[in-house]
Amino acid sequence: MDIGGSYGTLGGPNITIRSLTKDHIDFILSDTDLSVANALRRVMIAEVPTVAIDMVEIESNTTVLADEFIAHRLGMVPIDSRDVEKLRYTRDCTCSQYCPECSVELTLHVKCTDDRTKPVTSRDLISSNPTFAPILQDKNDAGVMLVKLRKGHELKLKCIAKKGVAKEHAKWSPVSGVAFEYDPHNKLRHTQYWFEEDESEWPPSKNAQYEVPPAKDARML
């Protein structure tokens, strides 16, 4: 898939998507400046709004983990944010703290009554709005591990998920990592080797096939 545009004298940017799955994308960004590629990377990491758990009210916790530990784990649980535009930012809402217009309530109540370890995962979180539920890869996905219970342990809590961006907190980041390569022919001599003996120690990357090799005396901009 090719996506084109215009950018100054370079005539771009142009995007060629090489692979696209539910949780991964690999594309070529061409005919543009390196700063645009880096800006795109930074926007994807920190400025795309998502939904994440922001408040946790713990009613009962007799597990081996402290309340703060569990609250931190809950904050990092990925929540389906495809309809995030339907929610308001809390700062733009007219409510005093949170309401259905700017937040989603999730509850969890698990108690271990058997004489064996009982895992508590993000699958145990029940959302008040099914549109914004913890992400599961498939029906066999157990979810993100939160804590393990033994007989007699109980965890009961309520979470408030809100809309935000990763510039405020990393829990709102929609990606686990964004990286780009701008020197596939290794002209800058990036390598994993410690010693330099000949040019064979500076091999081109797999992406070199998509770019014309630079001249030996060409400057790297």
Side-chain angles (χ1 to χ4, degrees):
M1 180 187 298
D2 294 331
I3 303 173
S6 62
Y7 178 77
T9 59
L10 297 176
N14 292 302
I15 296 176
T16 301
I17 299 177
R18 296 194 295 188
S19 67
L20 177 63
T21 64
K22 185 170 64 173
D23 56 6
H24 179 268
I25 182 171
D26 183 356
F27 64 89
I28 299 173
L29 179 66
S30 58
D31 298 326
T32 191
D33 192 80
L34 181 60
S35 62
V36 175
N38 191 48
L40 185 60
R41 179 187 68 86
R42 291 172 66 93
V43 167
M44 286 189 285
I45 291 174
E47 297 189 39
V48 176
T50 63
V51 176
I53 292 174
D54 190 49
M55 298 171 58
V56 180
E57 300 175 9
I58 296 180
E59 181 177 330
S60 175
N61 176 22
T62 57
T63 71
V64 295
L65 296 184
D67 293 355
E68 295 82 359
F69 205 120
I70 294 175
H72 181 268
R73 287 191 171 187
L74 286 166
M76 303 306 289
V77 170
I79 295 177
D80 192 333
S81 302
R82 286 175 290 184
D83 291 329
V84 67
E85 295 303 323
K86 294 181 179 180
L87 288 180
R88 297 178 181 177
Y89 287 105
T90 302
R91 58 180 176 271
D92 298 331
C93 193
T94 57
C95 66
S96 59
Q97 191 173 22
Y98 59 84
C99 70
E101 295 295 322
C102 66
S103 64
V104 179
E105 182 178 310
L106 299 98
T107 57
L108 182 149
H109 186 196
V110 181
K111 186 174 183 178
C112 182
T113 57
D114 299 326
D115 194 16
R116 59 186 177 86
T117 301
K118 182 178 182 64
V120 179
T121 71
S122 58
R123 184 179 281 273
D124 296 309
L125 285 166
I126 301 174
S127 175
S128 61
N129 186 342
T131 303
F132 302 102
I135 292 177
L136 299 172
Q137 293 294 328
D138 51 51
K139 63 180 181 180
N140 297 318
D141 186 0
V144 178
M145 178 66 69
L146 301 175
V147 65
K148 292 182 178 180
L149 309 182
R150 292 295 293 178
K151 188 175 182 178
H153 289 178
E154 181 181 14
L155 181 61
K156 186 177 183 180
L157 52 83
K158 180 176 75 172
C159 306
I160 303 299
K162 297 183 178 182
K163 179 180 178 179
V165 294
K167 287 195 297 185
E168 303 172 41
H169 193 284
K171 65 188 176 186
W172 278 297
S173 180
V175 296
S176 59
V178 180
F180 68 89
E181 181 181 40
Y182 57 89
D183 183 25
H185 290 278
N186 216 350
K187 186 174 177 60
L188 293 179
R189 299 295 185 261
H190 299 292
T191 184
Q192 59 183 342
Y193 298 105
W194 286 98
F195 303 101
E196 180 180 0
E197 296 180 356
D198 54 55
E199 290 190 2
S200 64
E201 291 194 6
W202 311 100
S205 77
K206 65 179 183 180
N207 296 314
Q209 59 180 309
Y210 300 101
E211 188 172 303
V212 178
K216 286 190 176 182
D217 57 349
R219 294 180 59 189
M220 191 67 190
L221 301 178

